[in-house]
Amino acid sequence: MPQIKQLDRHVAELIAAGEVVERPASVMKELLENALDAGATAVSAEIEKGGLTYLRLTDDGCGIAPDQLPTAFLRHATSKVRTADDLSAIGTLGFRGEALAAISAVSHTDIFSREQGAQEGAQLTVNGGVAGEVRPAGCPEGTTICVRDLFYNTPARMKFMKKDSAEGAAVAGIFTHLALSRPDVSFRLVRDGKEVLHTPGDGKLHSAVYAALGREFAMSLLPARGADSDVTVEGLVTKPLAGAATRGKQIFFVNGRFVKSQLLTAALEEAYKNRLMKGKFPGCVLHIKLPAHLLDANVHPAKTVVKFADERTVFHAVYYTVMAALDGEGKAQAPAPPALPAQEGFRTMTAAEYKATAPKPAEKKPLGSYTVREYTPPQPAAPMTPASPAPRKQEALLPIHDVAPEPGKPFTAPAPGGKTYIITPPVPPEEKIAPVTENPTPMVEKAAPATEKIPVPAEEPVQETILPDGAPWRIVGEVLKTYIVCEDGSDVYLIDKHAAHERLRFDALKARQEPLMSQTLLSPLAVTLTPEGYDAALNDLEELSHFGFTCEDFGDGTLLVREIPADIDIASAADTLNELCDKMALGAADPAAARDTLLHTMACKSAIKAGMTSDETELAVLVEKVRAGQIRYCPHGRPVCQKMTRYDIEKMFKRA
Ligand code: ADP
Ligand code: MG
């Protein structure tokens, strides 16, 4: 039997060091964390050959007293934890008291340190874990640690090192994360003689992001801020259009510590649902703060994994904060929150308060409110598409005093300054914009069965119809039978009418839990499906009826369709049904996601199409929704509206 022997101290230390010091990036992380724990306001680092031959960090923190220098390099020597109780409320980044011991065991390490206010500093060299003498040294207040020839005495570990460039990139990655975790500290990194990162340390997260992640990413961000009970969330999230191909720029900090968490990723991505293009991921730099006792940071040696005591609350806090940020895009930011104790820097709202600011999509009322726009009588040379049918003319607009408002029927009302408003009273969503269609088969309109309640939006007083926020856009006309051109001050907007209407339909469908209205066909329609679609349809004819299709099995892969959704055209009914059944067959693990997919189909099919002539009133409704910020992205995440400023246009013509 092989003999059992206790390892000698040196070998045991090397093994322990291997756990803490994996590569140059982990050395940098430990040194940076020490500097931040020491209260540094600026840190400056330099690496050569990926940090393997040379790695230095200088800070302006509290420094270490000369007589304490050797102690700092002992294992389990720390100034940050005294008792077991301290472990449950760790407020510093480091606490294991292992880093300096481990780093110096596998390198040549020099430390220079001078306490704040001290006359002079001291210096100590530790070679492969063996400390020399402490000697006086002239150095600035703070601490400098130089680590040379990392892993010189552990060739096995050296073999695992990647190319210098990869190690250097990993160091820069750690630097970036820590720089973003502390915008109040200036971070500077020089790699092989070249400055690769330098944050200003002005306390603004946006400045740190700009310096560390680049201009383009910084310009794609929206501010986000919210809270739920004890959990606060603050930071920046990407605008939906700036989705990236990877999750590389989803950066989360929990109580100042960079973490990786599926829970946080899921909460973020859930908030972007139906706003982001397929295959794109949102980016963020979000700081989550919660009381230390709700968090176990002591789970993983690398400390990038966290465990939350109350996952639900954390999920909700992130989800609603991001949703509110996306919903508020383009609107004026809320006034600054009341000041809180300086070290917090976060606003604490009650759950009720912030939920009120972050409506869930289902709670939104995309339709059902009055729409108002300024009425300009049509000019002889009105720039509307000549081929479009005559817009509902002035005669059709009833003066307000003559008749009670009728759902869906626009009427005029006098507005201040001798102007006129066109007011459209609310109607149930599906009646709002009927696609212009020519039905090949006559149909009988059928109201929803008596047992089903279609919610009619509550009547709102007419006085409230004059929108307080912003003047209506002037609709210049429609081009390419697809884009609505609008003008607002010195800005020009192009709106994709199909995308806008699709979004409107999708929100309306999603907000309504009841089955869709259907129309009965005079003669039933036989629709042949794919074998998978047919199977799925027979399995759930009831689900189909929720989408407005009443069907029976006709055998041989064919359904007999008796009713179709009220707002789709009979010519596209077979197509829509096919698509719907195929999607049902594909299914999705999550029923809500499956339903969303089906709603996408319905929204797309029932929306006005590009290339279709639309009447001015329809376009006006869409424009107003876009202007009011109620529509931003189509359900597939494509943009609905693009803005061109006067400057953009002048640039095109080389005037600017
Ligand atoms: P830990 O950070 O877990 O306490 P370390 O081995 O990293 O353990 O550091 C040991 C001790 O050395 C720290 O507790 C701290 O008191 C001191 N120290 C290390 N780096 C610095 C620094 N840059 N400035 C001031 N003190 C430091
Ligand atoms: Mg440490």
Side-chain angles (χ1 to χ4, degrees):
M1 186 197 124
Q3 282 222 325
I4 303 173
K5 269 204 240 164
Q6 194 168 17
L7 292 174
D8 72 34
R9 194 186 66 95
H10 179 61
V11 178
E13 262 171 18
L14 289 184
I15 292 172
E19 285 171 20
V20 183
V21 187
E22 235 182 302
R23 58 195 300 196
S26 39
V27 173
M28 185 59 92
K29 176 167 183 271
E30 294 292 341
L31 298 185
L32 278 171
E33 291 189 346
N34 280 348
L36 296 174
D37 284 345
T41 63
V43 294
S44 170
E46 201 177 337
I47 58 168
E48 269 166 29
K49 296 226 163 17
L52 284 163
T53 57
Y54 182 80
L55 187 153
R56 172 187 62 82
L57 183 73
T58 299
D59 69 54
D60 63 351
C62 64
I64 306 173
D67 63 322
Q68 294 274 294
L69 277 181
T71 320
F73 284 84
L74 298 178
R75 283 200 75 195
H76 305 305
T78 176
S79 55
K80 300 165 194 172
V81 175
R82 290 273 173 271
T83 65
D85 282 350
D86 291 348
L87 278 177
S88 59
I90 291 159
T92 52
L93 294 165
F95 54 86
R96 290 177 161 78
E98 263 179 327
L100 291 186
I103 293 165
S104 62
V106 291
S107 67
H108 303 295
T109 302
D110 290 297
I111 185 165
F112 303 81
S113 195
R114 181 171 143 207
E115 277 193 292
Q116 292 290 337
Q119 285 300 312
E120 64 172 1
Q123 167 193 356
L124 175 70
T125 299
V126 186
N127 286 315
V130 182
E133 290 288 308
V134 177
R135 275 177 298 175
C139 54
E141 288 170 338
T143 304
T144 292
I145 297 185
C146 294
V147 178
R148 280 174 292 115
D149 304 323
L150 188 64
F151 304 131
Y152 79 98
N153 53 355
T154 51
R157 168 69 54 181
M158 195 64 188
K159 265 198 253 159
F160 283 106
M161 289 305 106
K162 304 211 171 88
K163 284 202 188 104
D164 293 352
S165 55
E167 294 303 333
V171 172
I174 291 287
F175 227 83
T176 302
H177 290 156
L178 279 152
L180 296 175
S181 80
R182 292 292 303 272
D184 56 328
V185 175
S186 167
F187 284 69
R188 178 170 181 266
L189 174 64
V190 172
R191 193 171 155 190
D192 296 318
K194 206 174 139 228
E195 184 181 283
V196 291
L197 184 144
H198 195 171
T199 63
D202 61 0
K204 295 188 186 115
L205 181 61
H206 197 263
S207 314
V209 171
Y210 193 107
L213 300 176
R215 179 177 189 276
E216 200 186 329
F217 183 67
M219 299 318 268
S220 75
L221 296 169
L222 296 167
R225 173 187 287 194
D228 192 349
S229 1
D230 283 340
V231 183
T232 61
V233 180
E234 181 166 5
L236 300 159
V237 296
T238 46
K239 294 176 189 164
L241 287 183
T246 69
R247 293 194 167 94
K249 282 194 181 147
Q250 294 183 355
I251 300 173
F252 296 100
F253 298 97
V254 172
N255 289 355
R257 206 186 286 270
F258 172 77
V259 297
K260 290 195 174 130
S261 156
Q262 283 183 355
L263 179 93
L264 299 177
T265 298
L268 173 80
E269 291 184 1
E270 191 65 21
Y272 279 82
K273 218 158 155 197
N274 299 318
R275 302 194 207 224
L276 208 59
M277 270 202 240
K278 260 213 165 84
K280 295 278 186 188
F281 298 98
C284 71
V285 179
L286 282 180
H287 283 267
I288 293 117
K289 284 197 169 185
L290 63 170
H293 69 270
L294 292 180
L295 183 79
D296 182 3
N298 200 9
V299 276
H300 191 272
K303 294 179 275 180
T304 55
V305 175
V306 277
K307 243 169 68 187
F308 300 106
D310 181 359
E311 297 197 330
R312 235 179 94 86
T313 305
V314 174
F315 185 96
H316 280 162
V318 173
Y319 173 70
Y320 284 116
T321 301
V322 177
M323 282 266 283
L326 300 178
D327 286 346
E329 185 194 347
K331 291 192 186 148
Q333 283 299 302
L340 274 185
Q343 78 278 14
E344 280 291 338
F346 285 88
R347 181 188 177 198
T348 314
M349 283 192 253
T350 63
E353 217 181 307
Y354 101 87
K355 269 179 189 143
T357 65
K360 289 180 212 144
E363 290 167 354
K364 269 197 251 166
K365 281 205 284 162
L367 281 172
S369 55
Y370 286 81
T371 63
V372 180
R373 70 185 180 89
E374 204 172 294
Y375 175 64
T376 327
Q379 299 298 307
M384 292 298 298
T385 321
S388 64
R392 269 169 234 171
K393 292 244 173 64
Q394 217 172 341
E395 310 83 83
L397 300 166
L398 306 165
I400 193 167
H401 306 295
D402 293 353
V403 192
E406 219 182 297
K409 212 156 202 175
F411 57 89
T412 57
K419 290 182 177 163
T420 307
Y421 283 117
I422 297 178
I423 301 180
T424 311
V427 288
E430 50 283 291
E431 289 170 27
K432 193 86 182 191
I433 303 174
V436 183
T437 54
E438 276 144 29
N439 297 325
T441 318
M443 285 182 265
V444 181
E445 286 283 337
K446 177 182 172 246
T451 49
E452 298 160 5
K453 268 192 263 146
I454 305 288
V456 177
E459 288 273 327
E460 290 170 42
V462 175
Q463 288 92 303
E464 282 183 19
T465 61
I466 293 166
L467 294 172
D469 55 342
W473 291 352
R474 185 171 81 85
I475 303 177
V476 179
E478 191 187 352
V479 290
L480 306 174
K481 288 192 181 177
T482 306
Y483 306 102
I484 314 168
V485 184
C486 305
E487 183 187 9
D488 178 38
S490 59
D491 297 326
V492 173
Y493 295 88
L494 279 180
I495 298 171
D496 179 331
K497 69 174 180 182
H498 170 71
H501 193 204
E502 190 178 350
R503 179 77 216 191
L504 199 65
R505 299 284 310 133
F506 179 75
D507 283 347
L509 292 173
K510 210 168 146 71
R512 296 160 48 93
Q513 298 303 319
E514 289 79 6
L516 299 189
M517 291 241 283
S518 39
Q519 51 190 338
T520 306
L521 301 176
L522 277 187
S523 43
L525 192 71
V527 179
T528 305
L529 303 170
T530 61
E532 301 79 26
Y534 179 61
D535 246 27
L538 290 192
N539 261 331
D540 211 344
L541 284 174
E542 200 184 326
E543 174 76 344
L544 278 183
S545 73
H546 276 101
F547 287 94
F549 285 101
T550 309
C551 314
E552 295 158 25
D553 183 14
F554 200 51
D556 270 349
T558 303
L559 290 184
L560 201 61
V561 185
R562 297 202 177 274
E563 290 174 352
I564 64 171
D567 18 33
I568 71 164
D569 159 12
I570 191 165
S572 60
D575 226 29
T576 309
L577 184 62
N578 248 300
E579 201 174 316
L580 212 56
C581 294
D582 282 350
K583 282 187 178 164
M584 278 168 67
L586 285 176
D590 168 14
R595 199 173 155 76
D596 273 6
T597 317
L598 300 180
L599 291 176
H600 280 171
T601 306
M602 294 307 299
C604 179
K605 297 292 178 188
S606 62
I608 50 173
K609 306 273 180 306
M612 212 179 215
T613 26
S614 311
D615 107 16
E616 196 186 354
T617 322
E618 293 174 349
L619 301 184
V621 171
L622 291 176
V623 168
E624 188 44 39
K625 294 281 171 192
V626 173
R627 189 202 65 79
Q630 291 175 21
I631 311 176
R632 287 198 195 88
Y633 308 97
C634 87
H636 310 289
R638 280 191 289 109
V640 156
C641 178
Q642 295 287 6
K643 172 175 159 180
M644 272 184 286
T645 61
R646 177 193 291 271
Y647 178 72
D648 294 332
I649 297 172
E650 288 182 344
K651 234 170 53 182
M652 273 189 237
F653 291 99
K654 309 264 182 263
R655 280 167 167 266

